[in-house]
Amino acid sequence: MYSVRKVTKDLYWVGANDRRLTLFENIHPIPRGVSYNSYLLTDEKTALFDTVDWSACRQFLENVEHVLDGRPLDYLVINHMEPDHGASIEEVLLRHPETMVISTEKAFMLMRQFGFDVSGRMIEVKEGDTYSFGKHVVTFVAAPMVHWPEAMVTFDTTNGVLFSADAFGSFGALDGQLFADEVNFDRDWLDDARRYLTNIVGKYGPHIQLLLKKAGGILDQIKFICPLHGPVWRKDLMYFIDKYDKWSRYEPEEQGVMIVYASMYGNTEAAANALAARLCEKGMTNVRLYDVSNTHVSYLISETFRLSHVVLASVTYNLGIYPVMHNYLMDMKALNLQKRTFGIVENGSWACKSGTLMREFLENELKDMTVLDAQLSLQSALHSDAAPDLDAMADAILASMH
């Protein structure tokens, strides 16, 4: 049975949802699943924009055939060749030998690498090229490294639809609602959208900024943003564009403190709780605590992009940083995270080294990070005589917010 939604005149969402998949790219937890978005334009010529992951191919094909209603599929436009969008290309082409494929030189190279035979069916386009499907004329905009090198976005100059590839996407399956204004986006979607962007494309902030600058020239013409994952935007577009602008400039969304602790037996955790209580007593209540051992790093990265201040509280382990805390730091480095203020809490029973090592990592391996001088050093556990140091750290965090 088909399941489609009309986006606007002549344009239909024909994608599919996967609620069985538990790890996106086999690494990031997606408890709410994910949508694979594909769009079919029914003009004088028909054009399908991207396909779906192989796991959702059956539903996708039923949707496409329903909207085509016996018409040929004239064109398949591929904005992004990653397999969660490109895996069903071959099946579409087998069913529709009449279809021509529109994409970039690099995307065609990747199709060959994945084993797809598109010889004799290729229409290669580059930045600034246009194509007409009848009433609808589209233009193609290169979007390299957002987040693969072959990526492009396609803008329909007739109806103002931006097919944005992996930009402006989100984790989460669509529960019938297609549009962002049909859901409570702040409550139910923003965290997933942030976690998606920061973990998948976070490293490529400058490339997102370049794409946003290109989009800036046509902002007044964009009426819809149709991403390859998550809801379609048709209202309050600047709300989400502003989020992308902040995230890709590594600017925090909010003044607040996340305390990430690595605790073997609960003593470092107790210190983290005490610091959180002190901050709240002093008026900073936008505080979140995370156990680095029990929180997937994708959530930690997302929160680090959201908040302005981070406290790293780590036990010393084999004269080093606790391994999962070190992994979190390595992910920050891999994703190019910048412009945050850090406090450090260290613990050790006989050789307390984690604080020095975390400070060195933040100052030498990451960009534009501020590490507060106030540091809390524990010997096995936090005792009452450390109360002044606890207050000093809370005060230093608050002072750095002004």
Side-chain angles (χ1 to χ4, degrees):
M1 178 65 183
Y2 65 86
S3 174
V4 304
R5 286 290 306 269
K6 186 175 184 177
V7 179
T8 187
K9 185 181 179 183
D10 302 332
L11 184 66
Y12 297 85
W13 177 89
V14 291
N17 293 286
D18 190 343
R19 294 178 180 83
R20 296 184 179 188
L21 188 68
T22 57
L23 293 175
F24 188 82
E25 294 184 343
N26 212 23
I27 186 170
H28 306 295
I30 45 170
R32 296 171 57 232
V34 69
S35 75
Y36 304 113
N37 298 342
S38 174
Y39 306 91
L40 183 54
L41 181 69
T42 56
D43 197 353
E44 293 170 25
K45 299 290 187 179
T46 59
L48 180 65
F49 292 85
D50 296 290
T51 73
V52 302
D53 189 85
W54 185 249
S55 66
C57 186
R58 179 178 176 179
Q59 178 69 70
F60 162 67
L61 292 172
E62 289 184 14
N63 294 344
V64 170
E65 298 308 321
H66 169 74
V67 175
L68 284 175
D69 193 24
R71 293 184 64 182
L73 178 61
D74 298 299
Y75 297 101
L76 172 59
V77 180
I78 296 298
N79 289 297
H80 184 27
M81 251 311 291
E82 197 170 3
D84 56 335
H85 309 296
S88 298
I89 290 173
E90 191 170 38
E91 187 66 24
V92 170
L93 296 181
L94 284 169
R95 290 166 180 256
H96 292 277
E98 74 279 9
T99 304
M100 296 295 289
V101 183
I102 300 174
S103 201
T104 63
E105 179 185 12
K106 279 197 173 79
F108 284 125
M109 177 196 75
L110 288 170
M111 286 179 212
R112 290 190 292 271
Q113 287 180 193
F114 281 113
F116 301 158
D117 182 9
V118 293
S119 54
R121 307 173 75 166
M122 297 186 297
I123 299 173
E124 187 180 304
V125 294
K126 59 185 184 301
E127 171 103 30
D129 285 354
T130 62
Y131 210 86
S132 172
F133 302 118
K135 297 189 298 289
H136 292 261
V137 177
V138 300
T139 185
F140 305 102
V141 180
M145 300 319 299
V146 187
H147 66 125
W148 276 25
E150 90 305 349
M152 70 174 181
V153 301
T154 302
F155 181 60
D156 188 330
T157 60
T158 305
N159 59 12
V161 171
L162 178 67
F163 299 98
S164 62
D166 265 351
F168 303 107
S170 176
F171 296 139
L174 299 168
D175 297 339
Q177 308 97 340
L178 175 63
F179 299 102
D181 56 273
E182 294 180 324
V183 299
N184 187 331
F185 193 86
D186 265 356
R187 185 190 68 194
D188 298 331
W189 284 88
L190 179 58
D191 286 347
D192 271 336
R194 183 191 305 105
R195 192 162 62 91
Y196 167 84
L197 182 279
T198 56
N199 285 277
I200 305 299
V201 200
K203 179 178 181 178
Y204 304 111
H207 296 85
I208 298 170
Q209 281 289 307
L210 182 60
L211 180 59
L212 289 174
K213 284 183 174 64
K214 291 179 183 180
I218 56 168
L219 272 182
D220 59 331
Q221 301 171 52
I222 300 174
K223 307 301 181 191
F224 298 83
I225 298 177
C226 291
L228 289 178
H229 299 289
V232 169
W233 288 81
R234 63 182 176 183
K235 296 180 181 177
D236 300 323
L237 271 59
M238 286 309 303
Y239 161 87
F240 205 35
I241 291 171
D242 284 343
K243 294 290 187 189
Y244 260 65
D245 182 44
K246 265 196 169 64
W247 296 334
S248 58
R249 287 187 291 111
Y250 307 102
E251 298 285 350
E253 284 174 71
E254 304 171 26
Q255 289 282 318
V257 185
M258 64 179 292
I259 302 174
V260 183
Y261 64 85
S263 189
M264 293 171 64
Y265 301 109
N267 293 299
T268 308
E269 179 183 6
N273 279 312
L275 177 60
R278 283 288 204 283
L279 287 166
C280 292
E281 285 173 352
K282 293 172 183 288
M284 170 42 67
T285 56
N286 191 13
V287 178
R288 296 295 300 271
L289 267 74
Y290 294 95
D291 182 346
V292 73
S293 297
N294 290 327
T295 310
H296 190 272
V297 71
S298 66
Y299 291 92
L300 298 178
I301 289 295
S302 178
E303 284 290 81
T304 313
F305 270 80
R306 182 173 73 91
L307 295 171
S308 59
H309 287 62
V310 184
V311 175
L312 303 177
S314 180
V315 67
T316 301
Y317 193 85
N318 283 337
L319 297 180
I321 304 168
Y322 198 63
V324 279
M325 180 68 82
H326 187 258
N327 291 346
Y328 168 43
L329 288 166
M330 290 299 291
D331 257 37
M332 283 191 222
K333 179 180 179 181
L335 293 168
N336 204 25
L337 194 71
Q338 306 168 33
K339 303 177 185 176
R340 295 299 182 275
T341 299
F342 285 85
I344 290 176
V345 178
E346 63 175 357
N347 193 0
S349 290
W350 64 88
C352 198
K353 297 283 292 179
S354 59
T356 301
L357 295 172
M358 289 189 293
R359 179 179 291 272
E360 288 174 355
F361 190 99
L362 293 168
E363 292 177 341
N364 299 330
E365 300 292 332
L366 302 180
K367 301 173 188 173
D368 200 14
M369 297 300 198
T370 301
V371 185
L372 298 174
D373 291 333
Q375 179 171 312
L376 186 59
S377 295
L378 314 179
Q379 290 184 310
S380 301
L382 180 69
H383 301 288
S384 56
D385 59 1
D389 293 335
L390 199 62
D391 277 318
M393 168 156 280
D395 289 339
I397 292 169
L398 293 173
S400 69
M401 291 184 171
H402 301 302

